[in-house]
Amino acid sequence: MTRSEKQDVIPGTEIIFTGREHGEDFAAELVLIPRPTSNTEDPLNWSPTWKGIVIFNQFVFVFVSIMTPLSISPMTQIFQKEFDKTLPEVNMLFGAAAITLGFANLLVVPAANAFGRRPVILVCSVICILANIWQGLVTSYPSFIGARVISGVGASANETIMPMVIADLLFLHQRGSSMALYFWAYFLGLFLGPIVSGAIAAQMSWRWFFWVCTILQGASFIFILVAHPETKYERPGNAMSPSSTQTDLWAESNKPEGATGTSFEVRSGRTPPKGSSTHITDGRPVAAQFSVLPRFRVNHGIASVIRDVVSPIQILFYPIVLWASLTMGFAANSLLGLNLTQAQVFGPPPYLFTPDQIGFINFAFVVGAIIALVTAGPFSDWIALRRARKNGGVLEAEMRLPALIPYVCTNLVGMVVTAIGYQRSWPWEATVIVGYMLVGLQVVGIPAIAIAYAVDSYKVLPGEIMIAATIVKNTFGFGMIFFFNDWAAQSGYLGPVLMLMALTVGFSVLGLAIFIPFGKKFRRWTKDSKVHNL
């Protein structure tokens, strides 16, 4: 890398290793990005125990809050009889929650930036509890639609807050695994939710599903209240911006032998925080970080709030974010397509499954998701760090993209098996154990890697990136309820299911072909954007 390239600070290009061992070409010392402060209440410096507690609370919230609005597919036939509605009308109960989930984040993320993550997630938890109670008491279809909309508003925080908390707590090289954990929590709620709803509806009453969700959401609220401190932390300057880390490291790496001090010291008059892997690891939150009352941040005025609302739309026009959003959306909606058709396929002959049996087939998704949890994040992190070592310690955001290849292949095989199994009424074991399991594997793997790539490229905007991706995903999913089941009923399952496969595989392969060789050029084109200093 030439001196001119080093001075050209590009978002997504980071020095992740410094120093050399025994003259080898492999960089040795891990650099922490963002740089932690010397304060023990800095979330980056919290002990592994406290970080684990916060991530666990986020996991539970995401799992429970997504389970209620998006897990009603096994109860489709019950709702058709209960409210005397057609299949598309019943699917609108799903669509009302899904579309709200996406667009409500245009308010949730600005609020989380202005007031902090903790008060926003507490308020959203209360909304979820109230919406669950409403759904358990509904007596008419219009009322049910209204309850589903409010449920989507409360659950919207699960689409964005956990990625923001991960960025608050963890360093760049740790985020791939944690993003996989987030998507695992999200889709585990989608996978296990139908199992729970189908079993409760068959054995007790469909209303009891919402009462159970109320209890679980209440427990999650208590966990957050007592053991989820605020993770948003005001750092000196803008430690998250590309220039704050890269420029100082370039200066240190180019410092003449025997020279002391860095540009950081000259500018600020104080010793810079260490960039190496040595940092405080036994910190803990203080009492102020457990405050229930929201505190508006003085550096977050009305202009900043407007910026938070506009920036998700702005970055959606950045090629990397647009690609990641579309790739995540199509991979996730591959699962949605199977959820929408479960009752349509397995309820009538030759299967004649009951609602609880329809729910149980979602266990195959769970198995696939578990495999993705232990492979996708660690695999992409390992590939990225290994390639960074060979690159003299410089990590390029695109270095994790090759990890996407096996999950793209998984989508192709899983969706083809499912489409043919649906169409030809194969034994359910083939369709479910092979097709559903592979779809469950890709629905965690592909979004985790694609979104991690976008966040690596624009690391100061994890929440805004999730807003953009969620809007794309949920808008397309909302549109599917108007045509997917009717298309399958009229023309068979091959067309609609293979369409989703083609979109997922096609956009994934297109992105790999473009961004692996040319991704840095796209990042260079947007390096002067103001979003990097938000």
Side-chain angles (χ1 to χ4, degrees), residues 22-319:
H22 310 297
E24 296 178 357
D25 290 335
F26 288 84
E29 188 177 11
L30 181 67
V31 175
L32 299 179
I33 302 171
R35 290 189 176 188
T37 66
S38 58
N39 196 327
T40 56
E41 64 189 62
D42 181 348
L44 290 172
N45 292 330
W46 288 352
S47 67
T49 299
W50 268 110
K51 290 184 178 182
I53 290 172
V54 172
I55 290 176
F56 171 79
N57 277 320
Q58 282 290 322
F59 183 96
V60 173
F61 173 79
V62 169
F63 171 78
V64 174
S65 60
I66 199 63
M67 183 171 67
T68 310
L70 302 184
S71 300
I72 62 173
S73 56
M75 299 186 289
T76 298
Q77 294 173 316
I78 297 175
F79 292 149
Q80 285 181 271
K81 295 178 182 178
E82 178 90 11
F83 299 105
D84 191 25
K85 297 297 179 181
T86 64
L87 179 59
E89 288 175 318
V90 170
N91 283 341
M92 182 60 73
L93 295 171
F94 173 93
I99 196 69
T100 310
L101 271 168
F103 286 91
N105 278 293
L106 291 171
L107 300 177
V108 168
V109 168
N113 285 332
F115 299 105
R117 317 329 185 191
R118 176 177 164 85
V120 169
I121 199 171
L122 285 172
V123 170
C124 287
S125 295
V126 172
I127 293 174
C128 286
I129 292 171
L130 296 177
N132 290 345
I133 295 173
W134 184 359
Q135 290 174 93
L137 297 173
V138 293
T139 56
S140 67
Y141 179 77
S143 178
F144 207 170
I145 289 288
R148 301 289 292 173
V149 169
I150 301 302
S151 178
V153 171
S156 62
N158 70 51
E159 303 269 8
T160 50
I161 297 297
M162 186 168 178
M164 297 173 76
V165 170
I166 287 172
D168 293 338
L169 287 174
L170 302 177
F171 299 103
L172 180 66
H173 67 280
Q174 300 170 324
R175 293 178 188 171
S177 299
S178 296
M179 285 302 294
L181 182 65
Y182 160 68
F183 283 108
W184 193 65
Y186 183 92
F187 288 109
L188 193 65
L190 294 183
F191 300 156
L192 292 182
I195 299 172
V196 175
S197 66
I200 292 177
Q203 303 299 325
M204 301 171 67
S205 164
W206 65 266
R207 297 181 186 275
W208 261 103
F209 169 68
F210 296 108
W211 297 127
V212 170
C213 289
T214 302
I215 296 170
L216 294 176
Q217 196 75 60
S220 173
F221 174 80
I222 295 173
F223 292 161
I224 293 168
L225 184 65
V226 303
H228 192 302
E230 179 57 60
T231 61
K232 184 171 176 59
Y233 187 76
E234 303 296 341
R235 303 184 182 282
N238 188 3
M240 290 292 289
S241 69
S243 59
S244 65
T245 298
Q246 292 187 60
T247 303
D248 294 336
L249 288 170
W250 292 133
E252 289 183 27
S253 64
N254 290 325
K255 185 170 56 181
E257 186 175 355
T260 59
T262 66
S263 59
F264 183 97
E265 292 174 310
V266 173
R267 291 194 307 268
S268 64
R270 58 188 173 87
T271 302
K274 292 185 179 296
S276 71
S277 56
T278 301
H279 74 108
I280 299 171
T281 58
D282 59 353
R284 58 182 298 140
V286 296
Q289 291 171 307
F290 286 93
S291 174
V292 176
L293 298 177
R295 177 177 63 87
F296 189 81
R297 298 170 191 271
V298 294
N299 63 342
H300 209 87
I302 298 300
S304 297
V305 174
I306 296 174
R307 176 207 66 198
D308 288 341
V309 174
V310 173
S311 58
I313 307 301
Q314 177 185 354
I315 64 173
L316 190 54
F317 291 95
Y318 292 0

Side-chain angles (χ1 to χ4, degrees), residues 340-358:
L340 290 176
T341 53
Q342 282 179 353
Q344 188 176 3
V345 171
F346 293 105
Y351 301 106
L352 295 174
F353 281 11
T354 61
D356 55 335
Q357 290 174 322
I358 293 174

Side-chain angles (χ1 to χ4, degrees), residues 413-533:
V413 176
M415 293 296 280
V416 167
V417 169
T418 301
I420 298 175
Y422 276 7
Q423 186 67 27
R424 299 184 179 179
S425 298
W426 278 358
W428 69 266
E429 293 89 346
T431 304
V432 172
I433 296 176
V434 179
Y436 275 32
M437 186 191 72
L438 293 178
V439 172
L441 177 59
Q442 67 84 36
V443 84
V444 173
I446 292 177
I449 296 170
I451 294 299
Y453 170 52
V455 172
D456 285 352
S457 300
Y458 303 98
K459 66 176 66 64
V460 297
L461 296 171
E464 288 78 358
I465 289 172
M466 286 305 302
I467 291 178
T470 300
I471 287 176
V472 171
K473 170 176 69 72
N474 289 13
T475 301
F476 186 83
F478 179 72
M480 284 175 60
I481 69 174
F482 295 102
F483 71 86
F484 202 79
N485 293 97
D486 290 339
W487 183 8
Q490 294 173 7
S491 304
Y493 295 98
L494 288 177
V497 175
L498 292 182
M499 175 202 69
L500 292 174
M501 180 276 294
L503 289 171
T504 305
V505 173
F507 273 90
S508 298
V509 171
L510 180 65
L512 292 173
I514 293 175
F515 294 119
I516 288 180
F518 305 117
K520 189 171 183 177
K521 291 186 177 181
F522 286 100
R523 291 188 281 116
R524 181 179 281 111
W525 291 344
T526 59
K527 72 182 180 67
D528 296 323
S529 172
K530 293 182 180 179
V531 300
H532 298 295
N533 298 311

